[in-house]
Amino acid sequence: MKEEKLCDAMNLLPEDMIHETEQIRASQKKRRSSWLKWVSAAACLCLVVVGVLHMNPDVSPGTGTDGIMPGGITIGVDDSGDRDEESYKDADTTLDGNDQTEGPYIPWQPTFNTVSDIPSKIETNSYFTQELSEDDISAIEPGKQIGYMVYSGQAGFDGDGNLVDVQLSVTTTLPENTVSVMITPDAAARDYLFDEELIVSVNSNISYTVCQYDRTDGIITLTADAMINGYAFSFILDTTQHNLEQAKIDFSEILECFSYYLDGEPDLTSIVAEKNAN
Amino acid sequence: MQDAQIVELYLQRDESALRETEQKYGPYLTKIAYNILADLEDSKESVNDTYLKAWKSIPPHKPTILSTYLGKITRQVSIDILRKRGSLKRQASQYAVSLDELADCVPTAETPEQNIELQQLAEAIAAYLRTLSPQARCTFVGRYYFIDSIGEIADYYGMSKSKVESMLHRTRKGLKAYLEKEGYSV
C-alpha cells in the first residue's frame, strides 16, 4: 500500500478523533501564550530599566522625580502586552515549522575507554537456550529502529526453566559486523563487570560504560554496558581496524536506539521456556 | 464569535462568515498548511482555497465542529498542492509533458470505488486507533494528520521526544499488523 493512500485515508478519520487532538494542541498553545506573555513583559521591563540606567547613569531605580518613573518605562510596559500578543501571532503565521528548541541532529558519540582485557564470562549451571520467536523479539526491540537493524536471538534459561538472559543479534551496515546485545534481569547476573573507574558516557539519561579492546589477534572488540529500566544491557561488537570507524558509528547508533524504551519496557515476561533442561 | 454563529453566517450566505473564519481560524489553518507545504506563500494559497471551498460547501453541509471541518479541507488542499508541485518538477521531460496532456483524457475525480476503498481504510485505521490510549492516539493523529514535529508533540504532553518516537513506532507497528489482519497488504 502506498503511503499516499494512508495519508489520504487519514483525512477521512472521524471528526471526534481529530477534535480530540485539536483540543490538546490548543491547550498547549494557550499555556505557551500565557507563559510567553509574562516572560516577554518581564524581559521588556528589564531592557527598559537597563536602557534608562544606561542613558542616565545618575538615575538609579526608584529615583524618578515626584513619583513619576523615568521616561520609557511606562511606554515600554504598556506596549509590551500588545506587542507580545502580536508577535506571538506573527510567530504562528510565519511558522518556521518545527519546534524552536530543535536543532540539527547531532549523532551521539560516546567516549570509548581503552581496556587491556575483558573479564571472562560467568557460567551458569544447567543453562540451556531456545530461539526467540517473532513475538519475543517484538517485545524486546526498542522504540527506535534504523533500516539496517535486523534482529534475531536466543533466550537462556536455568535448569528450572527460569529466564536467565536474552541474547539478541543486531545487524549493522557492514555484513561482517553484528552487535550482540545481552539483556539480564539484574546487573549481578551480567556476563562480566568492568572496573567502576572507567569514563561513563551519558545519553537520554542512561549511563553507558563504553570500551574498546584491541586483541592480539587483530580483532577489536567494542563493548558497552548500561542499566535500562532495571535490566542490565551488555553490547558487544567484534570488528577489525579496517572497519573500525564505521563500526563505531553503527555501534553508537544501536546504543542510541536501545535508549528508546517506554517505561516498563522491555517486557520479558512473555518469554517462557518451551521445555525444561532435563 | 461562536462556531455555531459563524456557520449560521455561511448558511445565510453572509460574506462576513469568511472574515470571521479567517480571524478565528487563520493561524490554525496556516499552521496545518505550513506543516505540509513548508512554504508560506503556498500555505496562504491553501488557506484561501479552504475559505472558498467552505463557502461553496456550507450549505449544504452544516459542520458540527467547524475547526475540524476547515482543517480537513486545508489538509487535503495542501496535499494536492504538494502533489502538483511534485509534478511540476517532473515537467522538465517531454514524457511528463505528454503524460500531463493525456491526463486531460481521464476523469480527475476519484472513482466511487476508490472513494469507498479509502473510506474503508480510514474506518480500519480509526478502529485500531480507538483501541489505543488517548495519549498514543493523539500522538499518532498529531504526527500523521496534523504533521506536527516530534518536538511539538512532546510539548503537548510534556514528555520526552524519545518517548514520542517510541510511542509512534509502536503505533505504526501495531497498525501495520492490524491492517494486515484486516486483509490490507501494507
Side-chain angles (χ1 to χ4, degrees):
Chain A
M1 186 188 301
K2 289 179 78 175
E3 308 84 60
E4 285 188 351
K5 199 171 169 187
L6 275 174
C7 183
D8 288 343
M10 289 292 290
N11 223 38
L12 301 175
L13 286 179
E15 290 199 342
D16 65 307
M17 201 172 272
I18 295 164
H19 191 55
E20 181 186 30
T21 309
E22 261 177 6
Q23 286 178 316
I24 289 165
R25 296 169 88 239
S27 65
Q28 167 61 25
K29 187 172 283 185
K30 275 179 196 161
R31 280 202 303 274
R32 190 173 50 171
S33 173
S34 155
W35 177 83
L36 267 179
K37 192 169 183 171
W38 284 107
V39 169
S40 183
C44 276
L45 188 61
C46 290
L47 274 177
V48 170
V49 169
V50 169
V52 168
L53 291 178
H54 188 71
M55 283 187 295
N56 304 302
D58 296 337
V59 181
S60 58
T63 58
T65 314
D66 298 332
I68 300 168
M69 295 296 279
I73 289 184
T74 309
I75 295 168
V77 171
D78 283 349
D79 263 358
S80 68
D82 292 337
R83 193 165 51 228
D84 175 53
E85 194 64 38
E86 206 53 49
S87 63
Y88 180 62
K89 277 182 192 162
D90 283 351
D92 242 20
T93 48
T94 51
L95 294 164
D96 53 2
N98 289 325
D99 184 353
Q100 294 290 323
T101 57
E102 274 184 3
Y105 172 69
I106 301 167
W108 178 56
Q109 291 177 316
T111 304
F112 282 83
N113 294 283
T114 304
V115 293
S116 57
D117 197 5
I118 293 176
S120 57
K121 289 191 174 188
I122 298 161
E123 296 294 334
T124 309
N125 291 331
S126 309
Y127 181 82
F128 71 99
T129 61
Q130 88 187 19
E131 289 297 311
L132 292 172
S133 67
E134 275 187 29
D135 286 344
D136 294 339
I137 290 174
S138 183
I140 299 166
E141 63 177 13
K144 185 174 180 181
Q145 309 293 326
I146 299 176
Y148 59 72
M149 291 165 65
V150 177
Y151 300 88
S152 57
Q154 296 177 321
F157 301 90
D158 65 17
D160 297 325
N162 299 311
L163 184 71
V164 174
D165 56 30
V166 172
Q167 183 146 4
L168 273 181
S169 291
V170 186
T171 54
T172 69
T173 60
L174 300 169
E176 58 270 42
N177 286 354
T178 303
V179 174
S180 163
V181 186
M182 179 75 84
I183 309 168
T184 47
D186 60 73
R190 75 169 57 183
D191 273 9
Y192 51 84
L193 291 171
F194 281 115
D195 291 341
E196 290 180 356
E197 292 169 1
L198 298 174
I199 298 167
V200 169
S201 300
V202 179
N203 185 42
S204 298
N205 295 323
I206 297 169
S207 302
Y208 295 86
T209 305
V210 187
C211 296
Q212 177 180 334
Y213 170 46
D214 295 354
R215 284 159 38 178
T216 50
D217 58 1
I219 301 291
I220 298 171
T221 301
L222 306 179
T223 71
D225 292 86
M227 287 298 294
I228 303 173
N229 289 351
Y231 288 104
F233 279 71
S234 295
F235 301 82
I236 300 177
L237 170 60
D238 284 341
T239 187
T240 57
Q241 185 64 44
H242 178 67
N243 290 332
L244 184 59
E245 198 177 330
Q246 185 58 46
K248 280 189 172 180
I249 293 170
D250 295 349
F251 193 65
S252 305
E253 282 182 345
I254 289 173
L255 291 186
E256 172 131 38
C257 285
F258 274 84
S259 69
Y260 281 63
Y261 279 119
L262 299 176
D263 294 339
E265 292 180 339
D267 182 6
L268 305 185
T269 53
S270 58
I271 303 174
V272 290
E274 287 167 6
K275 59 180 176 69
N276 284 348
N278 303 320
Chain B
M1 188 180 274
Q2 295 291 314
D3 281 1
Q5 293 170 291
I6 299 175
V7 171
E8 198 51 42
L9 292 174
Y10 277 102
L11 296 174
Q12 290 168 5
R13 312 311 292 155
D14 184 339
E15 288 184 11
S16 64
L18 298 173
R19 193 178 60 246
E20 294 294 340
T21 304
E22 183 177 12
Q23 202 171 347
K24 187 166 182 183
Y25 291 116
Y28 166 77
L29 299 174
T30 310
K31 167 77 174 153
I32 292 178
Y34 191 88
N35 276 1
I36 295 166
L37 296 164
D39 179 277
L40 194 57
E41 282 307 308
D42 283 352
S43 302
K44 282 178 182 168
E45 183 191 330
S46 167
V47 174
N48 284 334
D49 278 3
T50 303
Y51 299 144
L52 188 65
K53 281 180 188 279
W55 179 254
K56 284 181 177 172
S57 60
I58 312 172
H61 288 288
K62 191 179 176 184
T64 45
I65 310 171
L66 187 57
S67 58
T68 309
Y69 183 79
L70 296 168
K72 277 190 172 189
I73 298 176
T74 304
R75 188 176 183 276
Q76 194 55 57
V77 168
S78 302
I79 289 170
D80 289 345
I81 291 175
L82 193 70
R83 285 174 185 163
K84 196 174 156 193
R85 204 199 271 170
S87 81
L88 280 175
K89 275 186 189 164
R90 290 194 296 271
Q91 275 182 8
S93 76
Q94 281 302 313
Y95 170 71
V97 173
S98 68
L99 273 187
D100 263 12
E101 288 164 4
L102 281 176
D104 293 338
C105 311
V106 292
T108 51
E110 286 169 329
T111 63
E113 290 81 9
Q114 282 173 319
N115 279 334
I116 291 169
E117 201 183 325
L118 210 56
Q119 187 62 50
Q120 284 171 340
L121 176 60
E123 282 167 14
I125 296 171
Y128 171 71
L129 293 179
R130 287 199 198 283
T131 65
L132 304 176
S133 69
Q135 197 179 43
R137 184 168 53 246
C138 290
T139 301
F140 189 84
V141 173
R143 181 68 181 143
Y144 300 110
Y145 179 87
F146 289 103
I147 326 287
D148 286 331
S149 72
I150 302 292
E152 285 169 325
I153 296 168
D155 273 356
Y156 303 166
Y157 281 112
M159 57 188 181
S160 68
K161 288 181 195 172
S162 61
K163 189 168 179 181
V164 174
E165 285 195 5
S166 201
M167 204 173 260
L168 286 172
H169 168 71
R170 285 174 212 297
T171 307
R172 284 196 303 267
K173 206 169 147 187
L175 178 61
K176 185 181 179 196
Y178 182 85
L179 291 178
E180 280 172 346
K181 202 180 78 185
E182 292 293 306
Y184 292 94
S185 60
V186 187

